[in-house]
Amino acid sequence: MTDSTDVSTETRPAPEPEEAPRKRRTLSPWLEYPLLAAVALGLAFLIKTFLLQAFLIPSGSMQNTLQEDDRVLVDKLTPWFGSEPDRGEVVVFRDPADWLAGQQTKPPSTVQKALGFVGLMPAADEQHLIKRVIGVAGDTVECAGTGPLELNGEPLTEPYVYAGNTPCSDDEGGRFKVTVPAGHLWVMGDHRQASQDSRYHQDDPHAGMVPLDDVVGRAVVVAWPLTNWSTLPIPDAFTPEK
């Protein structure tokens, strides 16, 4: 007796011929490069409009917190969610009432022009200042003699004031007592005897105050040069109860 084994006789379809690989379509360099440039400019515009923007420190009015020619990154996102500048923050703002009139400014470098062109830094002809917020709406700020600076009747301890400076200046403009109106800020530089800040513009249309509408954002970090890299936290002197 012979064993038999069943063998399937089902026929399988013949494999289909493989398709030739499709050629990747590429743009002509004449189209690709302008397109990439447009995308880069678009991203730069979005970043500088809604997220971060770099600003050049033009003077020593914020020493030693900031040095001349430092580059700081400014948070422009937070204000979009309704947050307003708080006491102790370092803010960048547009010149509110010709504070920079008559002051000499350095001509922009090639790098600054290039970054200004793509929007990562302000254009060379834009006028901005950077100071520390001392008083917000409803606060009373007072200076008499050489200090200390008083906020709502309480003296402030200000370790950020430039070494050798006094918190207040015993001169015209340096002696004051003001109450900050709604929608405004009172700002001062950390280099007190070398800062033309709110104290010295009390005769302008805003009485030396900075309108909130002119605030670009809060400086959060010193990004360049790397040797000066640091964050810019709110000092302990500005506690919530003040």
PDB file of all heavy atoms in Angstrom, residues 42-64:
ATOM      1  N   GLY A  42       8.746  85.062   7.575  1.00  0.00           N
ATOM      2  CA  GLY A  42       7.462  84.876   8.228  1.00  0.00           C
ATOM      3  C   GLY A  42       7.620  84.385   9.653  1.00  0.00           C
ATOM      4  O   GLY A  42       6.952  84.872  10.576  1.00  0.00           O
ATOM      5  N   LEU A  43       8.522  83.416   9.861  1.00  0.00           N
ATOM      6  CA  LEU A  43       8.782  82.906  11.206  1.00  0.00           C
ATOM      7  C   LEU A  43       9.379  83.996  12.095  1.00  0.00           C
ATOM      8  O   LEU A  43       9.005  84.137  13.265  1.00  0.00           O
ATOM      9  CB  LEU A  43       9.719  81.698  11.147  1.00  0.00           C
ATOM     10  CG  LEU A  43       9.124  80.410  10.571  1.00  0.00           C
ATOM     11  CD1 LEU A  43      10.214  79.352  10.430  1.00  0.00           C
ATOM     12  CD2 LEU A  43       7.989  79.898  11.453  1.00  0.00           C
ATOM     13  N   ALA A  44      10.309  84.756  11.532  1.00  0.00           N
ATOM     14  CA  ALA A  44      10.926  85.845  12.298  1.00  0.00           C
ATOM     15  C   ALA A  44       9.868  86.869  12.709  1.00  0.00           C
ATOM     16  O   ALA A  44       9.876  87.371  13.844  1.00  0.00           O
ATOM     17  CB  ALA A  44      12.021  86.513  11.469  1.00  0.00           C
ATOM     18  N   PHE A  45       8.958  87.160  11.802  1.00  0.00           N
ATOM     19  CA  PHE A  45       7.894  88.125  12.111  1.00  0.00           C
ATOM     20  C   PHE A  45       7.006  87.609  13.244  1.00  0.00           C
ATOM     21  O   PHE A  45       6.671  88.344  14.178  1.00  0.00           O
ATOM     22  CB  PHE A  45       7.054  88.381  10.856  1.00  0.00           C
ATOM     23  CG  PHE A  45       5.860  89.264  11.102  1.00  0.00           C
ATOM     24  CD1 PHE A  45       6.012  90.637  11.213  1.00  0.00           C
ATOM     25  CD2 PHE A  45       4.591  88.725  11.253  1.00  0.00           C
ATOM     26  CE1 PHE A  45       4.916  91.460  11.458  1.00  0.00           C
ATOM     27  CE2 PHE A  45       3.489  89.530  11.501  1.00  0.00           C
ATOM     28  CZ  PHE A  45       3.652  90.911  11.598  1.00  0.00           C
ATOM     29  N   LEU A  46       6.633  86.325  13.178  1.00  0.00           N
ATOM     30  CA  LEU A  46       5.785  85.752  14.213  1.00  0.00           C
ATOM     31  C   LEU A  46       6.495  85.736  15.563  1.00  0.00           C
ATOM     32  O   LEU A  46       5.902  86.050  16.605  1.00  0.00           O
ATOM     33  CB  LEU A  46       5.369  84.331  13.826  1.00  0.00           C
ATOM     34  CG  LEU A  46       4.388  84.219  12.652  1.00  0.00           C
ATOM     35  CD1 LEU A  46       4.180  82.759  12.284  1.00  0.00           C
ATOM     36  CD2 LEU A  46       3.054  84.872  12.991  1.00  0.00           C
ATOM     37  N   ILE A  47       7.792  85.360  15.549  1.00  0.00           N
ATOM     38  CA  ILE A  47       8.553  85.302  16.799  1.00  0.00           C
ATOM     39  C   ILE A  47       8.649  86.680  17.434  1.00  0.00           C
ATOM     40  O   ILE A  47       8.374  86.858  18.618  1.00  0.00           O
ATOM     41  CB  ILE A  47       9.949  84.716  16.552  1.00  0.00           C
ATOM     42  CG1 ILE A  47       9.843  83.221  16.209  1.00  0.00           C
ATOM     43  CG2 ILE A  47      10.846  84.899  17.779  1.00  0.00           C
ATOM     44  CD1 ILE A  47      11.136  82.614  15.734  1.00  0.00           C
ATOM     45  N   LYS A  48       9.022  87.667  16.641  1.00  0.00           N
ATOM     46  CA  LYS A  48       9.235  89.001  17.217  1.00  0.00           C
ATOM     47  C   LYS A  48       7.926  89.692  17.570  1.00  0.00           C
ATOM     48  O   LYS A  48       7.887  90.565  18.425  1.00  0.00           O
ATOM     49  CB  LYS A  48      10.087  89.862  16.279  1.00  0.00           C
ATOM     50  CG  LYS A  48       9.370  90.449  15.079  1.00  0.00           C
ATOM     51  CD  LYS A  48       8.982  91.881  15.301  1.00  0.00           C
ATOM     52  CE  LYS A  48       8.325  92.484  14.070  1.00  0.00           C
ATOM     53  NZ  LYS A  48       7.922  93.880  14.270  1.00  0.00           N
ATOM     54  N   THR A  49       6.839  89.309  16.917  1.00  0.00           N
ATOM     55  CA  THR A  49       5.555  89.923  17.209  1.00  0.00           C
ATOM     56  C   THR A  49       4.891  89.316  18.431  1.00  0.00           C
ATOM     57  O   THR A  49       4.299  90.018  19.249  1.00  0.00           O
ATOM     58  CB  THR A  49       4.608  89.797  16.002  1.00  0.00           C
ATOM     59  OG1 THR A  49       5.216  90.403  14.849  1.00  0.00           O
ATOM     60  CG2 THR A  49       3.273  90.493  16.274  1.00  0.00           C
ATOM     61  N   PHE A  50       4.994  87.992  18.600  1.00  0.00           N
ATOM     62  CA  PHE A  50       4.235  87.319  19.634  1.00  0.00           C
ATOM     63  C   PHE A  50       5.077  86.652  20.723  1.00  0.00           C
ATOM     64  O   PHE A  50       4.546  86.336  21.790  1.00  0.00           O
ATOM     65  CB  PHE A  50       3.337  86.242  19.003  1.00  0.00           C
ATOM     66  CG  PHE A  50       2.351  86.793  18.018  1.00  0.00           C
ATOM     67  CD1 PHE A  50       2.529  86.620  16.659  1.00  0.00           C
ATOM     68  CD2 PHE A  50       1.243  87.510  18.452  1.00  0.00           C
ATOM     69  CE1 PHE A  50       1.618  87.129  15.747  1.00  0.00           C
ATOM     70  CE2 PHE A  50       0.328  88.027  17.551  1.00  0.00           C
ATOM     71  CZ  PHE A  50       0.506  87.836  16.191  1.00  0.00           C
ATOM     72  N   LEU A  51       6.361  86.420  20.509  1.00  0.00           N
ATOM     73  CA  LEU A  51       7.140  85.638  21.469  1.00  0.00           C
ATOM     74  C   LEU A  51       8.275  86.435  22.084  1.00  0.00           C
ATOM     75  O   LEU A  51       8.150  86.951  23.187  1.00  0.00           O
ATOM     76  CB  LEU A  51       7.679  84.372  20.786  1.00  0.00           C
ATOM     77  CG  LEU A  51       6.621  83.409  20.250  1.00  0.00           C
ATOM     78  CD1 LEU A  51       7.289  82.253  19.523  1.00  0.00           C
ATOM     79  CD2 LEU A  51       5.742  82.896  21.373  1.00  0.00           C
ATOM     80  N   LEU A  52       9.399  86.512  21.401  1.00  0.00           N
ATOM     81  CA  LEU A  52      10.588  87.158  21.938  1.00  0.00           C
ATOM     82  C   LEU A  52      11.184  88.111  20.913  1.00  0.00           C
ATOM     83  O   LEU A  52      11.067  87.882  19.711  1.00  0.00           O
ATOM     84  CB  LEU A  52      11.649  86.119  22.313  1.00  0.00           C
ATOM     85  CG  LEU A  52      11.357  85.173  23.473  1.00  0.00           C
ATOM     86  CD1 LEU A  52      12.408  84.074  23.512  1.00  0.00           C
ATOM     87  CD2 LEU A  52      11.353  85.925  24.799  1.00  0.00           C
ATOM     88  N   GLN A  53      11.830  89.132  21.411  1.00  0.00           N
ATOM     89  CA  GLN A  53      12.578  90.022  20.535  1.00  0.00           C
ATOM     90  C   GLN A  53      13.830  90.484  21.270  1.00  0.00           C
ATOM     91  O   GLN A  53      13.805  90.672  22.493  1.00  0.00           O
ATOM     92  CB  GLN A  53      11.738  91.235  20.118  1.00  0.00           C
ATOM     93  CG  GLN A  53      12.403  92.075  19.029  1.00  0.00           C
ATOM     94  CD  GLN A  53      11.488  93.160  18.480  1.00  0.00           C
ATOM     95  OE1 GLN A  53      10.451  93.457  19.057  1.00  0.00           O
ATOM     96  NE2 GLN A  53      11.859  93.749  17.368  1.00  0.00           N
ATOM     97  N   ALA A  54      14.910  90.606  20.546  1.00  0.00           N
ATOM     98  CA  ALA A  54      16.169  91.050  21.144  1.00  0.00           C
ATOM     99  C   ALA A  54      16.271  92.570  21.083  1.00  0.00           C
ATOM    100  O   ALA A  54      15.840  93.196  20.110  1.00  0.00           O
ATOM    101  CB  ALA A  54      17.350  90.419  20.405  1.00  0.00           C
ATOM    102  N   PHE A  55      16.836  93.148  22.143  1.00  0.00           N
ATOM    103  CA  PHE A  55      17.049  94.590  22.193  1.00  0.00           C
ATOM    104  C   PHE A  55      18.483  94.861  22.639  1.00  0.00           C
ATOM    105  O   PHE A  55      19.025  94.159  23.502  1.00  0.00           O
ATOM    106  CB  PHE A  55      16.072  95.265  23.159  1.00  0.00           C
ATOM    107  CG  PHE A  55      14.674  95.378  22.626  1.00  0.00           C
ATOM    108  CD1 PHE A  55      13.810  94.306  22.711  1.00  0.00           C
ATOM    109  CD2 PHE A  55      14.231  96.544  22.038  1.00  0.00           C
ATOM    110  CE1 PHE A  55      12.516  94.383  22.219  1.00  0.00           C
ATOM    111  CE2 PHE A  55      12.942  96.642  21.542  1.00  0.00           C
ATOM    112  CZ  PHE A  55      12.084  95.565  21.630  1.00  0.00           C
ATOM    113  N   LEU A  56      19.064  95.881  22.065  1.00  0.00           N
ATOM    114  CA  LEU A  56      20.426  96.308  22.393  1.00  0.00           C
ATOM    115  C   LEU A  56      20.370  97.364  23.486  1.00  0.00           C
ATOM    116  O   LEU A  56      19.570  98.301  23.412  1.00  0.00           O
ATOM    117  CB  LEU A  56      21.104  96.872  21.148  1.00  0.00           C
ATOM    118  CG  LEU A  56      22.474  97.523  21.334  1.00  0.00           C
ATOM    119  CD1 LEU A  56      23.512  96.462  21.654  1.00  0.00           C
ATOM    120  CD2 LEU A  56      22.878  98.289  20.073  1.00  0.00           C
ATOM    121  N   ILE A  57      21.200  97.210  24.521  1.00  0.00           N
ATOM    122  CA  ILE A  57      21.269  98.201  25.594  1.00  0.00           C
ATOM    123  C   ILE A  57      22.202  99.328  25.135  1.00  0.00           C
ATOM    124  O   ILE A  57      23.403  99.107  24.954  1.00  0.00           O
ATOM    125  CB  ILE A  57      21.789  97.568  26.899  1.00  0.00           C
ATOM    126  CG1 ILE A  57      20.920  96.369  27.291  1.00  0.00           C
ATOM    127  CG2 ILE A  57      21.821  98.609  28.000  1.00  0.00           C
ATOM    128  CD1 ILE A  57      19.454  96.666  27.437  1.00  0.00           C
ATOM    129  N   PRO A  58      21.672 100.537  24.942  1.00  0.00           N
ATOM    130  CA  PRO A  58      22.473 101.598  24.326  1.00  0.00           C
ATOM    131  C   PRO A  58      23.297 102.421  25.304  1.00  0.00           C
ATOM    132  O   PRO A  58      24.151 103.210  24.876  1.00  0.00           O
ATOM    133  CB  PRO A  58      21.394 102.475  23.676  1.00  0.00           C
ATOM    134  CG  PRO A  58      20.215 102.322  24.580  1.00  0.00           C
ATOM    135  CD  PRO A  58      20.266 100.921  25.130  1.00  0.00           C
ATOM    136  N   SER A  59      23.039 102.308  26.613  1.00  0.00           N
ATOM    137  CA  SER A  59      23.728 103.181  27.564  1.00  0.00           C
ATOM    138  C   SER A  59      23.954 102.438  28.878  1.00  0.00           C
ATOM    139  O   SER A  59      23.573 101.284  29.043  1.00  0.00           O
ATOM    140  CB  SER A  59      22.888 104.444  27.822  1.00  0.00           C
ATOM    141  OG  SER A  59      21.735 104.118  28.589  1.00  0.00           O
ATOM    142  N   GLY A  60      24.552 103.143  29.828  1.00  0.00           N
ATOM    143  CA  GLY A  60      24.837 102.546  31.125  1.00  0.00           C
ATOM    144  C   GLY A  60      23.802 102.883  32.187  1.00  0.00           C
ATOM    145  O   GLY A  60      24.075 102.722  33.379  1.00  0.00           O
ATOM    146  N   SER A  61      22.593 103.312  31.795  1.00  0.00           N
ATOM    147  CA  SER A  61      21.604 103.760  32.777  1.00  0.00           C
ATOM    148  C   SER A  61      21.040 102.629  33.629  1.00  0.00           C
ATOM    149  O   SER A  61      20.385 102.890  34.631  1.00  0.00           O
ATOM    150  CB  SER A  61      20.455 104.490  32.072  1.00  0.00           C
ATOM    151  OG  SER A  61      19.692 103.592  31.284  1.00  0.00           O
ATOM    152  N   MET A  62      21.280 101.362  33.224  1.00  0.00           N
ATOM    153  CA  MET A  62      20.783 100.232  34.014  1.00  0.00           C
ATOM    154  C   MET A  62      21.923  99.431  34.640  1.00  0.00           C
ATOM    155  O   MET A  62      21.725  98.304  35.091  1.00  0.00           O
ATOM    156  CB  MET A  62      19.913  99.325  33.148  1.00  0.00           C
ATOM    157  CG  MET A  62      18.491  99.832  32.939  1.00  0.00           C
ATOM    158  SD  MET A  62      17.539  99.892  34.490  1.00  0.00           S
ATOM    159  CE  MET A  62      17.421  98.147  34.883  1.00  0.00           C
ATOM    160  N   GLN A  63      23.135  99.993  34.661  1.00  0.00           N
ATOM    161  CA  GLN A  63      24.234  99.301  35.335  1.00  0.00           C
ATOM    162  C   GLN A  63      23.943  99.189  36.839  1.00  0.00           C
ATOM    163  O   GLN A  63      23.278 100.035  37.419  1.00  0.00           O
ATOM    164  CB  GLN A  63      25.534 100.082  35.138  1.00  0.00           C
ATOM    165  CG  GLN A  63      26.097  99.995  33.719  1.00  0.00           C
ATOM    166  CD  GLN A  63      27.345 100.830  33.580  1.00  0.00           C
ATOM    167  OE1 GLN A  63      27.444 101.947  34.108  1.00  0.00           O
ATOM    168  NE2 GLN A  63      28.324 100.306  32.874  1.00  0.00           N
ATOM    169  N   ASN A  64      24.438  98.135  37.497  1.00  0.00           N
ATOM    170  CA  ASN A  64      25.190  97.038  36.918  1.00  0.00           C
ATOM    171  C   ASN A  64      24.316  95.877  36.490  1.00  0.00           C
ATOM    172  O   ASN A  64      24.840  94.830  36.107  1.00  0.00           O
ATOM    173  CB  ASN A  64      26.222  96.525  37.929  1.00  0.00           C
ATOM    174  CG  ASN A  64      27.584  97.143  37.754  1.00  0.00           C
ATOM    175  OD1 ASN A  64      27.930  97.641  36.704  1.00  0.00           O
ATOM    176  ND2 ASN A  64      28.373  97.103  38.820  1.00  0.00           N
TER     177      ASN A  64
END
